[in-house]
């Protein structure tokens, strides 16, 4: 009997070793609340990735602390290729913002490839008396000390953009952190907060329907999507040199087998060629990555360069969390 059981166990482990990755569902951890822009990229991408990988993809939202809770969860997950993180520029800004980051951005992950770049927009509650950037600047000046700025926590893209915005206008605002910009948007729509910076993938529809006021885009160039083409860049509107675009990439825990990393990366490259996915992303102002940053080592090099780029900017602003 004993021999039979050990033979069965040996067979089971040999089958597991030979089974082709992935042979069970993959979880993509989104480090922000459901319904926001990071979640949207993950959900849209998971549909095309599912076709490529032949497996169900489960999205798990682990919001909080500007994306660092979700990133920490993946850094500590089993390195078997079945837990993956989809994160944005926060991968590169958190190291400068947190004195005790619970993971090492460059050391604790396998880099799986980048996904897209997305501009942000500066938006406000529809009841704001200002409708244009010059009017907004006057309103800010007249309401110093009373302005609320929503964000998705220290380390989020909305936090970075808001930080740069406060620096540019030289006015400190009260920041209100949420687990993601989906719940922040709910409060902005309800008029509980005044302003927010967020990815066009989350703001386009609200701008189009007039539910929020849009003041400008955060990139150096204007955008071409119908809803956003008329918006000035913040630089044009007087905030000289303002330029921030968000990017998303995928990560697995350090030690994930190379074969699984390569398989995931090939599936990602194929998924990013899906015409429907590209159309959906472009309609919301996002640009799919087609350059060398689709490669795992180029992705890592890019994040390293972004850490070097944003670190001094954040340190100059003097914002830290323990
Ligand atoms: N857009 C958010 C940010 O500020 C995150 C999210 O909710 O997707 O980083």
């Amino acid at each position: 009997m004993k021999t039979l059981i050990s033979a069965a166990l040996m067979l089971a482990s040999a089958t597991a070793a030979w089974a082709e990755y992935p042979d069970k569902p993959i979880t993509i951890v989104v480090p922000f609340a459901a319904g926001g822009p990071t979640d949207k990229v993950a959900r849209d991408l998971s549909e095309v990735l599912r076709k490529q990988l032949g497996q169900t993809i489960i999205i798990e939202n682990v919001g909080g602390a500007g994306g660092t809770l979700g990133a920490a969860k993946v850094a500590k997950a089993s390195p078997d290729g079945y837990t993956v993180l989809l994160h944005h520029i926060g991968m590169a800004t958190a190291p400068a913002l947190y004195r005790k980051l619970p993971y090492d951005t460059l050391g604790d992950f396998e880099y799986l490839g980048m996904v897209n770049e997305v501009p942000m927009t500066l938006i406000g509650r529809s009841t704001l008396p200002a409708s244009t950037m010059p009017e907004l600047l006057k309103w800010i000046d007249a309401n110093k000390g009373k302005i609320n700025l929503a964000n998705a926590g220290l380390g989020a893209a909305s936090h970075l953009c808001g930080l740069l915005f406060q620096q540019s206008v030289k006015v400190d605002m009260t920041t209100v952190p949420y687990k993601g910009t989906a719940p922040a948007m709910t409060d902005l729509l309800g008029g509980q907060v005044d302003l927010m910076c967020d990815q066009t993938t989350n703001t386009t529809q609200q701008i189009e329907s007039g539910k929020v006021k849009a003041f400008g885009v955060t990139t150096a160039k204007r955008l071409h999507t119908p809803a956003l083409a008329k918006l000035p860049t913040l630089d044009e509107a007087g905030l000289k040199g303002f330029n921030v675009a968000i990017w998303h990439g995928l990560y697995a825990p350090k030690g994930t087998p190379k074969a699984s990393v390569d398989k995931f990366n090939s599936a990602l490259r194929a998924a990013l060629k899906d015409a429907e996915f590209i159309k959906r992303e472009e309609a919301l102002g996002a640009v799919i990555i087609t350059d060398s940053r689709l490669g795992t080592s180029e992705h890592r090099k890019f994040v390293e360069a972004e850490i070097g780029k944003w670190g001094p900017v954040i340190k100059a602003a003097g914002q830290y969390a323990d």
Side-chain angles (χ1 to χ4, degrees):
M1 184 64 178
K2 219 171 166 188
T3 338
L4 255 181
I5 293 173
S6 55
L9 283 175
M10 271 169 70
L11 187 69
S13 70
T15 315
W18 285 104
E20 182 100 354
Y21 169 83
D23 68 343
K24 60 178 186 182
I26 295 174
T27 297
I28 295 187
V29 172
V30 170
F32 296 103
T38 317
D39 182 66
K40 182 163 176 32
V41 179
R43 284 175 203 271
D44 287 351
L45 182 66
S46 69
E47 278 177 36
V48 273
L49 267 179
R50 178 177 50 83
K51 287 187 226 152
Q52 296 300 328
L53 290 164
Q55 276 298 340
T56 304
I57 304 217
I58 300 159
I59 305 291
E60 187 185 349
N61 297 89
V62 184
T68 59
L69 296 183
K73 177 163 185 171
V74 175
K76 290 176 183 74
S78 168
D80 55 10
Y82 292 95
T83 308
V84 163
L85 172 71
L86 189 139
H87 202 350
H88 61 26
I89 193 169
M91 279 301 266
T93 56
L97 285 163
Y98 286 81
R99 284 199 181 93
K100 287 184 220 130
L101 196 59
Y103 54 86
D104 173 357
T105 308
L106 295 172
D108 285 351
F109 297 95
E110 302 293 343
Y111 286 64
L112 300 177
M114 288 182 62
V115 178
N116 66 7
E117 285 176 314
V118 196
M120 298 187 99
T121 42
L122 175 67
I123 57 173
R125 61 178 160 84
S126 61
T127 48
L128 272 184
S131 297
T132 63
M133 213 33 209
E135 288 170 9
L136 180 69
L137 294 176
K138 273 194 205 137
W139 178 81
I140 288 175
D141 210 45
N143 287 278
K144 282 181 188 155
K146 293 189 234 155
I147 303 165
N148 291 322
L149 183 64
N151 70 27
L154 209 75
S158 45
H159 170 260
L160 174 69
C161 183
L163 191 66
L164 298 176
F165 180 61
Q166 291 174 81
Q167 272 183 329
S168 301
V169 297
K170 298 186 181 61
V171 175
D172 287 338
M173 300 175 193
T174 305
T175 50
V176 187
Y178 295 82
K179 284 192 173 172
T181 42
M185 181 66 92
T186 305
D187 275 8
L188 191 76
L189 293 173
Q192 280 96 335
V193 283
D194 299 316
L195 294 167
M196 175 165 78
C197 264
D198 202 18
Q199 283 100 311
T200 55
T201 39
N202 197 32
T203 61
T204 298
Q205 278 156 4
Q206 310 291 5
I207 294 171
E208 255 174 343
S209 62
K211 289 186 180 152
V212 296
K213 288 193 171 175
F215 297 100
V217 296
T218 63
T219 40
K221 284 194 192 144
R222 283 192 183 215
L223 306 178
H224 298 296
T225 57
L228 306 175
K230 59 183 183 307
L231 283 182
T233 66
L234 293 184
D235 175 275
E236 265 174 62
L239 308 185
K240 285 294 157 217
F242 203 105
N243 186 10
V244 55
I246 304 317
W247 41 265
H248 292 90
L250 288 149
Y251 309 83
K254 186 80 187 168
T256 301
K258 184 167 182 320
S260 306
V261 169
D262 290 347
K263 180 93 185 263
F264 196 98
N265 180 257
S266 306
L268 175 65
R269 287 170 187 268
L272 295 184
K273 289 194 182 126
D274 184 279
E276 267 304 304
F277 175 70
I278 296 173
K279 209 167 118 196
R280 252 198 324 243
E281 287 287 292
E282 285 181 352
L284 296 174
V287 177
I288 303 296
I289 302 288
T290 51
D291 57 38
S292 63
R293 291 171 299 165
L294 279 177
T296 56
S297 54
E298 289 301 320
H299 175 197
R300 189 178 183 283
K301 268 189 216 148
F302 175 75
V303 174
E304 194 170 6
E306 286 278 289
I307 292 174
K309 171 178 168 182
W310 292 109
V313 176
I314 291 164
K315 286 197 173 115
Q319 291 231 342
Y320 296 104
D322 287 325

